[in-house]
Amino acid sequence: MKKAVVIGSGPAGLTAGIRLAEGGWDVTVLEQQAGPGGNLRSWTREGHTIDNCLHWLNGTREGSSLNRLWRSLGVLGDGVGVVRSPFFYRSHLAGSTLTMWRDPDRTEAELSEKSPRDARAVRRFFHAARTLAYGSPFARAAAVARWYRVSVGDFADSLYDRDLGVFFSDYLGREYATLGLLFAYSAFLSGDADLPAGGSPGVAERMAEKFAAAGGKLICSVRVTGIVVKNGRAEAVLTDRGDAFDADRVIAACDPHVTFSRLLPREYAPQALERTDHDPRTPRFSSLHAAFSLPSPFPPGAAWTNVIAGDKAKLPERTGGRVILRSFAHEPGFAPEGKTVLQAICFLSDADAGTWLARGADYAEKKAAFVESVEGAIKEAFPYSAPRAIDAWTPATYLRYTSADRGDYIGWLLPSGVIPPRLPERVKGLSNVSLASGWCRMPGGLPTAARSGARAAADILIRDPAPRSFPGVTPPGRGKSKKRRKFDLPS
Ligand SMILES: Cc1cc2nc3c(=O)[nH]c(=O)nc-3n(C[C@H](O)[C@H](O)[C@H](O)COP(=O)(O)OP(=O)(O)OC[C@H]3O[C@@H](n4cnc5c(N)ncnc54)[C@H](O)[C@@H]3O)c2cc1C
């Protein structure tokens, strides 16, 4: 049986592992954390589950190729429920709220009523959202071309009503491409960006189970320290425990920065990685987080995703004084009886992220001040909520747990007017090493990670089918049908 070693058990690594194990390979996934899931991993504080990842999962609508991919990985299907919130997010503004409802007609009507002078711009935005959700490929391409160069900040500034400007820039931030917001909202309105029941921990657990059921081996709490290369091939994978795993194929499913700075000589790094790293137009994605325990019943106005005002002087500059809150009242199992969890997120500029990563002497003090400021904002927005802080984490935390460069966690921020870079799954110059990662393509996220893992595995299975028969599996190019085996490759 041919052997594959996968470095990292995030969604990319687990996807590659599942696919290869199902294809008859002997697969070992090595993970430095104590459990699988990468950024999907959750943790508990005082009996509360902190869901680190999922704001939404693209691919929840049945019938799409992404949905088929998630089903094949055990993430969706088989009785897994999908949680659908009535709105994408809600902005709390001085004396009023504005809501991005699932229904674009309702949202458009409410926003136009709030600012009749902005009705035309608002109509254009929602026309594009509907087009991206339901339009023909031609109409979609035209919408992409029309919005390609417009950042969220540009769009917000073009509006007469200041509140509307804040509303449109509240969720993804001003630097993001409006197209990114449009893609996210159009997926949401069409029911393709909802939440699998059980949240991030549920997804991680089901993927790990699927991998184990396919015969894969997962070894946690072991850090890969290097890949031994000889004659243009990887010969073995070394770990901090002193083990050497030999492998016919190696898939590096950690951040490519880790791969090309610590595991392999830099000369193998794809040019696209070097380019985006030094391109100021492709900033990175990191943030500050805090979690709070709230007594249940939960203040109804705080349900789902809300953006509230905080103290501008005390919050990171990039937030413009806004705090994104996610409630988990829809997951009663995430908190002890009579309690619920509320998580806060504040995006950081590259410069601010750098100061958190430096972990200066005032790190703990700064973290406490951040928590206090967010707690004050929650009390102000929801006076009867009585939040109690249970945890806070920063880019330094992500760096410690996932090793991802600069503690980033979602590939690159999607800016306007930039053609997304793409890292090839094959590593040039090494015949048996592949990449699989959410960092392989902009804008990253779970679909990018899983597709990248599926592509890396498909590439191996197509090029290098193991020379034996596999129960229930027809290797590519074999069997009765002359058709190529179908993989969930990006369309
Ligand atoms: C707060 C937050 C919110 C998010 N929200 C969403 C969302 O709503 N929707 C969405 O689609 N995506 C979201 N994401 C992004 C998503 O989690 C990532 O895109 C995805 O996890 C990337 O998957 P990956 O497998 O490439 O990398 P990771 O998940 O980072 O996994 C890489 C794994 O490699 C391991 N590793 C690294 N180096 C080594 C080594 N030397 N040896 C062994 N193991 C190693 C790490 O420990 C880690 O487990 C969010 C992420 C965060 C943190």
Side-chain angles (χ1 to χ4, degrees), residues 162 166 169-175 286-288 307-324 345-349 352 370 373-374:
R162 198 188 155 274
V166 174
S169 41
D170 248 356
Y171 202 8
L172 296 182
R174 291 176 57 84
E175 300 91 336
S286 49
S287 41
L288 291 180
V307 190
I308 61 170
D311 184 339
K312 205 170 170 179
K314 291 189 180 153
L315 291 168
E317 198 193 340
R318 193 178 151 204
T319 64
R322 308 288 294 166
V323 181
I324 301 169
I345 182 164
C346 283
F347 297 129
L348 294 171
S349 64
D352 278 348
F370 166 69
S373 159
V374 173

Side-chain angles (χ1 to χ4, degrees), residues 149-180:
R149 292 197 181 277
V150 185
S151 72
V152 168
D154 292 338
F155 181 63
D157 292 345
S158 75
L159 301 168
Y160 292 99
D161 187 290
R162 198 188 155 274
D163 280 354
L164 247 63
V166 174
F167 170 68
F168 278 106
S169 41
D170 248 356
Y171 202 8
L172 296 182
R174 291 176 57 84
E175 300 91 336
Y176 228 85
T178 309
L179 207 47

Side-chain angles (χ1 to χ4, degrees), residues 7-14 30-33 35-41 51-58 70 195 222-225 253-255 258 262-263 287 289 326 345 393 398 401-404 408-411 436-439 443-450:
I7 304 164
S9 72
L14 286 176
L30 301 172
E31 169 57 53
Q32 65 185 1
Q33 293 194 56
N39 269 313
L40 277 169
R41 267 197 96 203
D51 179 316
N52 180 46
C53 175
L54 275 174
H55 292 70
W56 67 81
L57 179 73
N58 280 97
W70 293 132
L195 289 167
V222 55
R223 182 180 299 237
V224 172
T225 50
C254 42
D255 178 349
V258 173
R262 293 192 223 153
L263 310 186
S287 41
H289 305 251
R326 279 196 302 149
I345 182 164
W393 59 107
Y398 284 112
Y401 281 100
T402 66
S403 300
D408 292 346
Y409 55 79
I410 198 163
S437 164
W439 278 261
L446 298 166
T448 309

Side-chain angles (χ1 to χ4, degrees), residues 160-441:
Y160 292 99
D161 187 290
R162 198 188 155 274
D163 280 354
L164 247 63
V166 174
F167 170 68
F168 278 106
S169 41
D170 248 356
Y171 202 8
L172 296 182
R174 291 176 57 84
E175 300 91 336
Y176 228 85
T178 309
L179 207 47
L181 180 62
L182 281 166
F183 272 127
Y185 176 61
S186 64
F188 177 80
L189 74 87
S190 68
D192 198 33
D194 291 302
L195 289 167
S200 309
V203 172
E205 211 171 283
R206 292 194 292 276
M207 289 186 85
E209 276 168 11
K210 186 88 181 169
F211 176 57
K217 286 189 285 290
L218 171 69
I219 306 178
C220 291
S221 305
V222 55
R223 182 180 299 237
V224 172
T225 50
I227 299 172
V228 181
V229 171
K230 207 169 165 194
N231 300 329
R233 280 182 66 78
E235 292 224 313
V237 172
L238 309 178
T239 75
D240 59 353
R241 290 188 195 166
D243 301 316
F245 289 82
D246 59 329
D248 298 296
R249 299 291 305 217
V250 174
I251 297 187
C254 42
D255 178 349
H257 294 93
V258 173
T259 307
F260 298 109
S261 63
R262 293 192 223 153
L263 310 186
L264 285 171
R266 191 78 194 176
E267 70 201 64
Y268 294 110
Q271 276 179 359
L273 187 68
E274 306 281 10
R275 245 197 341 265
T276 40
D277 269 0
H278 299 110
D279 187 342
R281 293 172 311 155
T282 49
R284 315 296 289 276
F285 208 109
S286 49
S287 41
L288 291 180
H289 305 251
F292 299 86
S293 170
L294 269 74
S296 220
F298 197 62
W304 308 110
T305 300
N306 288 269
V307 190
I308 61 170
D311 184 339
K312 205 170 170 179
K314 291 189 180 153
L315 291 168
E317 198 193 340
R318 193 178 151 204
T319 64
R322 308 288 294 166
V323 181
I324 301 169
L325 298 176
R326 279 196 302 149
S327 82
F328 289 88
H330 59 278
E331 290 285 0
F334 278 18
E337 185 86 29
K339 306 269 184 216
T340 191
V341 186
L342 190 67
Q343 284 180 211
I345 182 164
C346 283
F347 297 129
L348 294 171
S349 64
D350 279 5
D352 278 348
T355 63
W356 285 97
L357 286 165
R359 286 188 74 109
D362 58 349
Y363 179 80
E365 205 181 302
K366 271 173 51 184
K367 216 160 102 167
F370 166 69
V371 171
E372 196 188 327
S373 159
V374 173
E375 193 172 308
I378 298 171
K379 283 180 182 157
E380 184 99 16
F382 310 113
Y384 305 105
S385 57
R388 186 170 57 80
I390 50 174
D391 201 9
W393 59 107
T394 77
T397 320
Y398 284 112
L399 183 64
R400 185 152 45 103
Y401 281 100
T402 66
S403 300
D405 190 45
R406 295 173 50 85
D408 292 346
Y409 55 79
I410 198 163
W412 289 271
L413 187 152
L414 183 67
S416 53
V418 174
I419 307 249
R422 183 183 154 186
L423 305 190
E425 268 81 23
R426 293 180 189 177
V427 177
K428 213 170 161 192
L430 291 174
S431 59
N432 64 341
V433 182
S434 313
L435 298 182
S437 164
W439 278 261
C440 280
R441 283 181 194 203

